[in-house]
């Protein structure tokens, strides 16, 4: 039977060989964390390589994602669908082993990591999902939701501000099944983080005290190359169930490389053929590149143990289902990501009621009304706000707060943590069982931007709610008035952005976001009241296509006005003021969704023959030129706002009937 060190050396060898073959990559972290990984995966991780999506598996997140060969080696050795040829294709086009772990490429990769700090934040979200799901479904004697989330992270993750946001909240929520293992190796790209010689220090945090202050259980100064010490630390962490745990593992980066271990030289570059030869000798790995002996594979193989673990859980779940059949069916539905059987019918009935009421209200209020309409249909809702619940209006009548001692709720008070909230939501979405939404002012989507990008990159259904959508915010001034945010959000690939013009469009946009399974959605709502627009049943149906004819004219239009959100009413009034002209008004609450429609539909809304077009939106104008063309015009705002009442600002910046009419006349 191979020793623990021999098993860990398989990770070291595969990692240095793959990086060398690719001529790029990061061998240092995998080699330094190999001993920790061996203990965790062979002694504690409960997973099944034959079923990477088993609902009650432990989750593993490599937050320091540059060390991707660590997880690829683990998945290969333990029996997942990653063969030796996949490792040889490390960092190559369309391989299962890209430079950083990417969700959806390799079985067993739970999230995309690379932007440091987001992996640990995703891990917080996964642990939160586990805690809430357990609170909602577990019964006395039936702990059918019972798994851990393990996160590897490094100095870089801890330097990023998002780690403070997410880990602070994890402590407040008492996420006892979250265990983070910190690779404390004193090295980042620029050298020794605590300084050396003439190089000053840049990371002197007392990390154990920092995490203790967050309310974490901390195990400091663990020898990361002593398997028994690592094992004892993980056992201690698992025994503490009322708070998350941080295990500080002191390691040597690039462990085993005689001339480069402990140095930044091995952080982000291949070791080189000569150093690899010396490393093989130093660690006693007398095998050719990418060759792993059968006895090493046998020591790592997790397929049999994984099958037993899942089989045991299936038996326990069957016993649960026999006693609680409704709850068991509901849990299966939610983990499968399926909406309730009666969803479509009831959702459409709610939208019909909104049409009938015809309310003139702020779209943020219409959003809350939609949550009250859809919320009772969706026990999988897990909402929240970054300390703006009273402004974002994200709390609906059925909300119950999630806390350390009340895990069965459905609403998270995220605090002023826009970035952390968004990354945590992504972790919740990745875990499964929930439809997560979280809110802040649109302006502060900037703080969260990289988490939004990661949601789009992973194609996961997080719902980001943004209110106070324009200069209509008013007196708070340009620091709080979004101008460029809507256009730039639309530029994120695979992101759907909705900016509804009234309560009906708000309800439809919520339905679309809830039903979307292949990517995230940004919901953009107003502070100020928006007038109800009369529509036919066909027009209501067309809202979900992203853009549609709201007000038409007889025959071929002389001009088309395109608008979103609060500016749709302005467009309609401008069309009415031009009674001598044939003016079509197009409401386009989602440009992304409209662009995805077939050519015939887009032509029916925006016929190419009509070149006189004006777009109206209280935002930067750049994105609208693709719709209006070189002969069209855009009424927008290409500067920052001012502090004044909303009505005053709209006049100041040209959002008036008169100015829109002038713009239309200018293109005729």
């Amino acid at each position: 039977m191979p020793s623990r060190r021999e098993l860990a050396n398989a990770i070291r060898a595969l990692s240095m060989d793959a990086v060398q073959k690719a001529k790029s990559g990061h061998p240092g972290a995998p080699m330094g964390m190999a001993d920790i990984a061996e203990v965790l995966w062979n002694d504690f991780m409960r997973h099944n390589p034959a079923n990477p999506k088993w609902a009650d598996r432990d989750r593993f997140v490599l937050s320091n994602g540059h060390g991707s060969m660590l997880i690829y080696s683990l998945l290969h050795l333990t029996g997942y669908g990653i063969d030796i040829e996949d490792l040889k294709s490390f960092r190559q086009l369309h391989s299962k082993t890209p430079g950083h772990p990417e969700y959806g490429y390799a079985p067993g990769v739970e999230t995309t990591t690379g932007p440091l700090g987001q992996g640990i934040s995703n891990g917080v979200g996964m642990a939160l999902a586990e805690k809430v799901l357990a609170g909602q479904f577990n019964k006395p004697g039936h702990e059918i939701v019972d798994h851990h989330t393990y996160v590897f992270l490094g100095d870089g993750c801890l330097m990023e501000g998002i780690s403070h946001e997410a880990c602070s909240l994890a402590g407040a929520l008492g996420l006892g099944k979250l265990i983070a293992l910190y690779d404390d190796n004193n090295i980042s790209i620029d050298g020794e983080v605590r300084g050396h010689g003439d190089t000053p220090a840049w990371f002197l945090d007392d990390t154990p005290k920092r995490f203790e202050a967050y309310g974490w259980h901390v195990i400091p100064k663990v020898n990361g190359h002593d398997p028994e010490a690592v094992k004892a630390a993980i056992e201690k962490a698992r025994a503490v169930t009322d708070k998350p745990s941080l295990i500080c593992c002191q390691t040597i980066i690039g462990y085993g490389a005689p001339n480069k271990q402990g140095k930044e030289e091995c952080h982000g570059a291949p070791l080189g053929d000569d150093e690899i030869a010396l490393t093989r000798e130093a660690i006693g790995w007398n095998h050719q590149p990418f060759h792993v002996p059968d006895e090493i594979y046998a020591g790592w193989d997790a397929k049999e143990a994984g099958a037993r673990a899942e089989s045991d859980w299936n038996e326990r779940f069957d016993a649960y289902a026999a006693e609680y059949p409704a709850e068991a069916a509901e849990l299966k539905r939610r983990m499968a990501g399926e909406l309730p059987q009666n969803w479509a019918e009831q959702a459409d009935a709610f939208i019909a009621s909104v049409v009938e009421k015809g309310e003139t209200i702020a779209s943020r209020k219409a959003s809350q009304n939609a949550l009250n309409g859809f919320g009772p249909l969706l026990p999988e809702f897990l909402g929240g706000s970054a300390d703006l619940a009273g402004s974002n209006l994200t709390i609906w009548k059925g909300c119950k707060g999630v806390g350390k001692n009340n895990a069965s709720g459905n609403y998270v008070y995220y605090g002023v943590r826009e970035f952390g909230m968004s990354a945590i939501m992504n972790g919740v979405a990745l875990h499964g069982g929930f439809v997560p939404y979280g809110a802040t002012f649109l302006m502060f989507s900037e703080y969260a931007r990289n988490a939004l990008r990661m949601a789009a990159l992973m194609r996961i259904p997080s719902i980001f709610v943004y209110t106070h959508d324009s200069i209509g915010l008013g007196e708070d001034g340009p620091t709080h008035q979004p101008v460029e945010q809507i256009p730039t959000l639309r530029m994120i690939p695979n992101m759907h952005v909705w900016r509804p013009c009234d309560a009906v469009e708000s309800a439809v946009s919520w339905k679309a976001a809830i039903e979307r399974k292949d990517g995230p959605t940004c919901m953009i709502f107003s502070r100020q009241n928006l007038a109800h627009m009369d529509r036919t049943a066909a027009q209501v149906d067309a809202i979900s296509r992203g853009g549609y004819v709201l007000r038409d004219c007889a025959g071929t239009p002389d001009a088309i006005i395109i608008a979103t959100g609060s500016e749709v009413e302005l467009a309609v009034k401008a069309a009415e003021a031009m009674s001598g002209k044939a003016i079509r008004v197009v409401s386009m609450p989602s440009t992304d969704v409209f662009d995805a429609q077939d050519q015939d539909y887009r032509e029916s809304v925006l016929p190419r023959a009509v070149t006189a077009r004006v777009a109206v939106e209280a935002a930067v104008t750049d994105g609208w030129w693709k719709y209006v063309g070189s002969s069209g015009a855009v009424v927008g705002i290409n500067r920052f706002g001012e502090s004044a009442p909303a009505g005053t600002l709209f006049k100041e910046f040209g959002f008036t009937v008169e100015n829109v009419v002038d713009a239309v006349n200018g293109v005729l």
Side-chain angles (χ1 to χ4, degrees):
M1 181 69 183
S3 68
R4 284 190 180 276
R5 179 58 49 83
E6 288 172 322
L7 293 173
N9 284 342
I11 296 175
R12 295 186 170 100
L14 289 171
S15 297
M16 67 182 184
D17 288 344
V19 171
Q20 188 67 28
K21 187 175 187 302
K23 297 182 173 57
S24 73
H26 300 74
M31 296 174 73
M33 299 188 80
D35 297 305
I36 306 168
E38 188 277 324
V39 174
L40 176 63
W41 279 66
N42 280 327
D43 288 29
F44 297 99
M45 276 285 293
R46 200 165 63 99
H47 62 110
N48 184 6
N51 183 12
K53 295 297 186 180
W54 168 34
D56 202 45
R57 69 191 181 280
D58 290 338
R59 271 65 170 177
F60 175 77
V61 175
L62 184 68
S63 190
N64 46 342
H66 54 269
S68 57
M69 270 308 303
L70 174 68
I71 191 169
Y72 298 149
S73 299
L74 287 165
L75 295 172
H76 170 70
L77 292 166
T78 56
Y80 285 78
I82 297 182
D83 60 29
I84 205 69
E85 293 303 314
D86 293 318
L87 301 188
K88 292 179 180 179
S89 298
F90 177 56
R91 288 183 162 234
Q92 304 310 300
L93 185 64
H94 301 316
S95 73
K96 293 181 182 179
T97 52
H100 291 80
E102 292 189 36
Y103 178 71
Y105 276 67
V109 172
E110 300 281 3
T111 182
T112 299
T113 55
L116 295 175
Q118 288 206 61
I120 177 62
S121 305
N122 294 165
V124 171
M126 293 174 188
L128 171 63
E130 192 275 345
K131 182 182 179 83
V132 176
L133 208 64
Q136 293 178 352
F137 284 97
N138 285 355
K139 304 291 184 181
H142 296 279
E143 304 294 318
I144 46 103
V145 180
D146 184 14
H147 52 268
H148 286 79
T149 300
Y150 298 101
V151 181
F152 280 9
L153 71 162
D155 291 309
C157 292
L158 294 179
M159 286 184 245
E160 290 284 1
I162 190 175
S163 72
H164 297 258
E165 295 182 26
C167 293
S168 170
L169 184 61
L173 295 175
L175 302 181
K177 290 182 181 169
L178 172 63
I179 298 175
L181 294 100
Y182 164 37
D183 183 28
D184 182 10
N185 62 24
N186 190 40
I187 296 293
S188 68
I189 292 174
D190 282 348
E192 297 185 22
V193 301
R194 289 185 278 276
H196 179 74
D198 293 332
T199 304
W202 57 89
F203 186 55
L204 292 174
D205 295 21
D206 189 330
T207 297
K209 286 185 179 179
R210 168 185 159 189
F211 275 76
E212 286 173 358
Y214 291 158
W216 285 54
H217 167 231
V218 179
I219 305 173
K221 296 182 179 180
V222 176
N223 183 347
H225 301 298
D226 179 349
E228 295 309 312
V230 173
K231 182 178 180 180
I234 296 174
E235 288 174 341
K236 287 180 182 177
R238 286 170 55 91
V240 175
T241 60
D242 63 342
K243 57 179 69 175
S245 291
L246 178 72
I247 303 172
C248 302
C249 299
Q250 297 179 321
T251 65
I252 299 170
I253 191 171
Y255 185 88
N259 299 305
K260 295 187 176 183
Q261 66 176 17
K263 303 175 181 177
E264 66 270 20
E265 296 171 52
C266 67
H267 180 282
L271 296 181
D273 291 331
D274 292 344
E275 186 72 5
I276 286 176
L278 292 172
T279 304
R280 279 188 155 75
E281 183 179 349
I283 67 175
W285 190 263
N286 301 311
H287 311 290
Q288 293 299 309
F290 297 102
H291 176 75
V292 178
D294 290 343
E295 61 270 21
I296 299 292
Y297 276 126
W300 274 105
D301 193 344
K303 294 191 291 293
E304 185 177 338
R308 285 198 306 270
E310 185 173 356
S311 177
D312 173 69
W313 183 83
N314 286 336
E315 289 181 10
R316 292 189 289 113
F317 186 82
D318 289 342
Y320 174 82
E323 193 166 348
Y324 303 99
E327 289 87 345
E330 181 71 357
L331 179 59
K332 288 179 70 173
R333 176 189 70 80
R334 286 173 53 174
M335 290 304 295
E338 299 171 354
L339 291 169
Q341 190 172 6
N342 59 354
W343 160 255
E345 179 183 346
Q346 292 186 318
D348 288 343
F350 170 74
I351 292 170
S353 73
V354 176
V355 173
E356 185 177 357
K357 287 181 182 177
E359 293 179 299
T360 291
I361 54 176
S363 56
R364 62 171 175 164
K365 178 60 180 175
S367 169
Q368 186 180 49
N369 291 346
L371 291 172
N372 277 308
F374 296 143
L377 312 177
L378 297 170
E380 54 264 55
F381 256 167
L382 186 63
S385 172
D387 202 47
L388 287 168
S391 294
N392 298 146
L393 302 185
T394 44
I395 293 178
W396 55 281
K397 293 176 182 178
C399 279
K400 176 184 175 184
V402 173
K404 187 173 184 178
N405 300 314
N406 53 328
S408 64
N410 60 0
Y411 192 88
V412 182
Y413 292 88
Y414 284 103
V416 189
R417 300 182 176 100
E418 296 90 355
F419 194 5
M421 173 184 72
S422 304
I424 290 168
M425 285 166 54
N426 289 345
V428 171
L430 288 159
H431 179 278
F434 295 97
V435 174
Y437 69 87
T440 184
F441 287 174
L442 177 57
M443 186 64 246
F444 304 126
S445 65
E446 295 294 339
Y447 281 136
R449 183 58 66 106
N450 199 250
L452 272 62
R453 185 178 188 272
M454 294 296 281
L457 182 62
M458 290 188 280
R459 296 181 172 272
I460 56 175
S462 300
I463 301 175
F464 304 103
V465 179
Y466 299 121
T467 67
H468 299 61
D469 67 343
S470 70
I471 56 172
L473 176 67
E475 292 86 345
D476 280 342
T479 62
H480 284 52
Q481 292 167 1
V483 175
E484 74 275 26
Q485 282 64 41
I486 297 171
T488 57
L489 288 171
R490 289 175 180 144
M491 292 173 66
I492 301 175
N494 201 46
M495 178 68 75
H496 285 182
V497 179
W498 289 86
R499 187 177 184 234
C501 77
D502 67 358
V504 177
E505 285 191 358
S506 298
V508 172
S509 63
W510 260 111
K511 181 173 181 280
I514 291 164
E515 292 179 347
R516 191 179 187 209
K517 301 302 178 186
D518 62 350
T521 302
C522 290
M523 313 282 285
I524 298 175
F525 300 116
S526 73
R527 178 193 188 191
Q528 72 274 21
N529 287 344
L530 305 182
H532 170 72
M533 297 289 146
D534 291 326
R535 298 175 182 84
T536 65
Q539 287 174 311
V540 173
D541 290 341
I543 295 172
S544 63
R545 305 190 75 165
Y548 64 101
V549 179
L550 177 64
R551 294 287 184 273
D552 211 355
C553 55
T556 302
D558 294 322
I560 300 173
I561 307 175
I562 312 166
T564 78
S566 51
E567 289 68 69
V568 170
E569 180 184 6
L570 181 61
V572 170
K573 288 182 176 178
E576 292 171 349
M578 300 183 72
S579 57
K581 299 291 184 179
I583 308 296
R584 171 179 290 185
V585 176
V586 171
S587 177
M588 196 175 289
S590 178
T591 61
D592 323 273
V593 174
F594 178 76
D595 290 348
Q597 303 303 308
D598 62 82
Q599 176 62 39
D600 288 345
Y601 178 77
R602 287 182 282 121
E603 173 68 17
S604 73
V605 177
L606 297 175
R608 285 170 289 182
V610 182
T611 59
R613 301 179 182 183
V614 174
V616 189
E617 185 174 62
V620 166
T621 62
D622 288 26
W624 286 107
W625 294 103
K626 70 176 179 177
Y627 299 106
V628 302
S630 58
S631 59
V634 183
V635 178
I637 176 169
N638 291 314
R639 51 153 291 183
F640 297 120
E642 298 281 353
S643 177
T648 302
L649 291 174
F650 279 120
K651 291 178 183 177
E652 172 71 14
F653 289 104
F655 295 97
T656 64
V657 171
E658 294 76 17
N659 193 41
V660 175
V661 169
D662 287 345
V664 176
N665 283 327
V667 300
L668 285 171

